[in-house]
Structures are given as structure tokens and as C-alpha cells.
Amino acid sequence: MTRIPRGSAPTYTTKSWTLGTAPWQALPTPPGSRTRVIIDNDFSGDPDDLYQLVHHLLSPTVDIRAVIGSHLREGDAFDPGPDSASNATAVVHDVFARMGLDSTGVIVQGSNLPLTDPRSPRPSAAVDAIIAEALREDDSPLFYVAGAGLTDLASAVLTQPKIAEHMTVVWIGGNEHEGLASPPPHAMPIEYNLFIDVTAGQVVFNDSELPIWQVPRNVYRQCLVSDAELRLRVAATGDLGRYLYDETIAVTTRSAEHGRGPAETYALGDSPLVLLTALQSLFEPDSSSSHHQVIPTPTIEADGSYAARDHARPMRVYTHVDTRLMLEDMYLKLQEFDAWLSAP
């Protein structure tokens, strides 16, 4: 559903900046970054990923090392064609242009296709970037934050298993865990992001040693914003905010036309990727205002369900996320950025 730009990105603003700077802050954050982040999302799909991307880009304490445009499942209603990763990458370039952000060297494209089996990686520029960053000498923690399928991460760990020692995966996706939550009414049997590439999910959960922080479907559905919030806290913050709002309202309008609405809320389900990385606590850094349980990493079956296994590595499963901190921080950063962008 996200509008796919064609041709080179137009000039939206005469102002420019680079990652690692925050010229819109009148009272600047202390310099430097705490964590490194690789962002992976299907940016030609549900526009909640646009909010996550902009929010992360406006968070100066994370060092964004790569932004990967990844694919949707072919036939997906948001972008049904065979080039969804290419389209996602074009959307990222467009967002950077809208923000006057010159650091386009971090943008890389993932595979347009899912895995065919759990042993055969899909080569891509994204896979090369993931491996290079994971093996680069740097003492700061590296988080791989994914709001889509896991094709490129799975391909990277199949190509170079050693990367599992050097990163933590924060993933928005997967079914509910028995005993922690129940599926929503009329739920997809296989959760949306996992369904993009079930085999890739199996590689990451079943066959790798990657540490995982999972935000399953029952938790990302907590990230509801009202239409009033979107109108008054997002659309009112200049051209960038209006762009984000318009992409969202296009989805709600089409949903209403197909009998799924109208509704006064929208789920910004990818935004916990920012909350759990950029908005960690100062002392004893962690996602301390959100709640999680540590469980043995289950096996993902072909039908998307989980199965217990012996001697499984531990993983985090989030049960509650701090939407107040997450959303207020986004609204205020959008306001602060617009004030700078629109100033003479």
C-alpha cells in the first residue's frame, strides 16, 4: 500500500544532515551512540514500518549501520508483485530524501525471494552488509531489528554462522505462546511476518544460535494509536508527518471499503523496535519499562506453531511494551524535527 516512488528521489527540502548528528535539537543529546542497529523491514507494505524507520532515524543514541529493504510474500495485498524488496528500498531512499538525510550509503536491498529450503541462502547486498557489520571489530552491542520476514538474516547466518555470536535479534513476529496469550479473533493461522518466509524463521529459531528478543503478535497488537493522535500529533507536524499520516489513512480507507472498518485506531506494531533499542534505561541498560519472560527457544513448525525441544537456548518473549514512552517520544521528535526543518 505504501506509495512506491519511481525514478530518482525528488528534492523535498534544502536542509541536510547526516546520521550521527541531530541539528534539530536546540538542547542537544550528549554526543555518541550506545548501540549499533541494523534495520530490516518490508517498507513497501504496511506503513507502520515508516513510523519505525523515521523514529529510529531521529534517535541519535543508536548508530544505524544498515537499513535493509526486504520482501513481502508474493501476492501480498500491500505489494503483490515480485519486486517488493526493490520497492522497499526505493521507499527508504524516498524517506531519506523527505528528511534531508544524506547518509544513503547505509541503504541496502534484500532478496526479492524467500528461502527455498533451510540450507540454501539467498545472496544479496543485505546479506553482505549483515556479515560485514557483525564481524567488524566494535565493542558496542549490535541489534538486528526486524519488522518483517527473516530471509536476509537467515541467509546471512547460513553463509556465516559465526555472526550469531555478535548480535541480538529483535523481531516483531510470530504466533502467541501457549500460556502467555491467546490468538485474536479470526487470526491468521501463521502470523503475518512469519508467513512471509516460514523457512527463514525456522533457520533463525531452530538451526542458529542467534539470541532472540521476540515481540509476538499479541504484543505488537498492543501498539494502538487513535486517529485523533495521528491527526493532531503526526499529520500536524509538517510535510513529513503528513506523509506518514496519509500513508496510514490510505490503508484504513481501503480497509473500510472492504468491510473492515471504519476504525478509530491503527497499530504501529513495528515501533517496539525503537523502544527496545533506542529507549533503554540509562543505568543498567535494558528495556526496563517493558515486560518480558525468558523461555527456552522453541522450534517453529511448518504450520507456524511452536514445539518444545531439549537443551534449547534461552530467548526473551515480550508480554507488554511501554507504549506511553514509545509513542510520546516519537510525537515529540517529529515535532522537534519539523520545527527545525520548516525554520528559515
Side-chain angles (χ1 to χ4, degrees), residues 307-328:
R309 55 177 168 162
D310 295 333
H311 311 298
R313 70 195 188 279
M315 65 174 278
R316 287 189 183 190
V317 176
Y318 279 85
T319 57
H320 170 80
V321 288
D322 184 354
T323 56
R324 187 216 65 82
L325 172 61
M326 179 180 76
L327 295 173
E328 279 297 320

Side-chain angles (χ1 to χ4, degrees), residues 118-339:
R119 294 168 299 280
S120 305
R122 289 280 189 189
S124 69
V127 170
D128 295 340
I130 294 165
I131 294 172
E133 183 57 34
L135 299 184
R136 187 174 67 85
E137 296 233 355
D138 194 312
D139 291 334
S140 59
L142 174 61
F143 288 94
Y144 190 97
V145 299
L150 295 169
T151 303
D152 301 300
L153 176 62
S155 294
V157 79
L158 284 171
T159 304
Q160 177 48 270
K162 189 175 178 62
I163 67 172
E165 304 171 18
H166 301 283
M167 66 170 71
T168 298
V169 178
V170 186
W171 182 47
I172 308 289
N175 291 6
E176 296 76 10
H177 291 265
E178 186 175 357
L180 296 181
S182 300
H186 314 297
M188 295 174 61
I190 302 178
E191 183 273 331
Y192 181 90
N193 283 344
L194 177 60
F195 198 30
I196 292 172
D197 192 342
V198 176
T199 302
Q202 291 176 309
V203 169
V204 171
F205 274 69
N206 307 358
D207 303 330
S208 82
E209 294 300 320
L210 286 160
I212 299 170
W213 294 3
Q214 184 189 15
V215 181
R217 176 169 53 192
N218 60 293
V219 178
Y220 69 68
R221 281 169 51 84
Q222 296 172 11
C223 303
L224 294 181
V225 294
S226 73
D227 182 63
E229 285 179 281
L230 292 178
R231 284 185 282 108
L232 299 177
R233 308 294 298 278
V234 176
T237 54
D239 291 342
L240 179 63
R242 185 56 190 262
Y243 163 71
L244 294 173
Y245 176 77
D246 286 348
E247 295 300 324
T248 310
I249 204 67
V251 177
T252 59
T253 300
R254 190 173 75 169
S255 296
E257 291 169 352
H258 287 79
R260 294 189 297 272
E264 291 195 35
T265 63
Y266 200 87
L268 297 183
D270 288 341
S271 289
L273 298 176
V274 185
L275 175 69
L276 303 181
T277 55
L279 300 178
Q280 293 187 4
S281 52
L282 173 61
F283 299 108
E284 300 171 331
D286 204 353
S287 54
S288 60
S289 64
S290 298
H291 303 156
H292 69 268
Q293 292 197 20
V294 177
I295 67 170
T297 302
T299 294
I300 291 182
E301 304 287 1
D303 64 357
S305 63
Y306 304 113
R309 55 177 168 162
D310 295 333
H311 311 298
R313 70 195 188 279
M315 65 174 278
R316 287 189 183 190
V317 176
Y318 279 85
T319 57
H320 170 80
V321 288
D322 184 354
T323 56
R324 187 216 65 82
L325 172 61
M326 179 180 76
L327 295 173
E328 279 297 320
D329 185 72
M330 181 187 71
Y331 297 144
L332 292 172
K333 283 175 176 170
L334 282 172
Q335 179 183 335
E336 191 175 31
F337 183 73
D338 177 61

Side-chain angles (χ1 to χ4, degrees), residues 40-53:
D40 176 354
N41 224 320
D42 49 9
F43 295 104
S44 67
D46 187 334
D48 65 337
D49 49 31
L50 303 179
Y51 289 77
Q52 174 261 317
L53 176 61

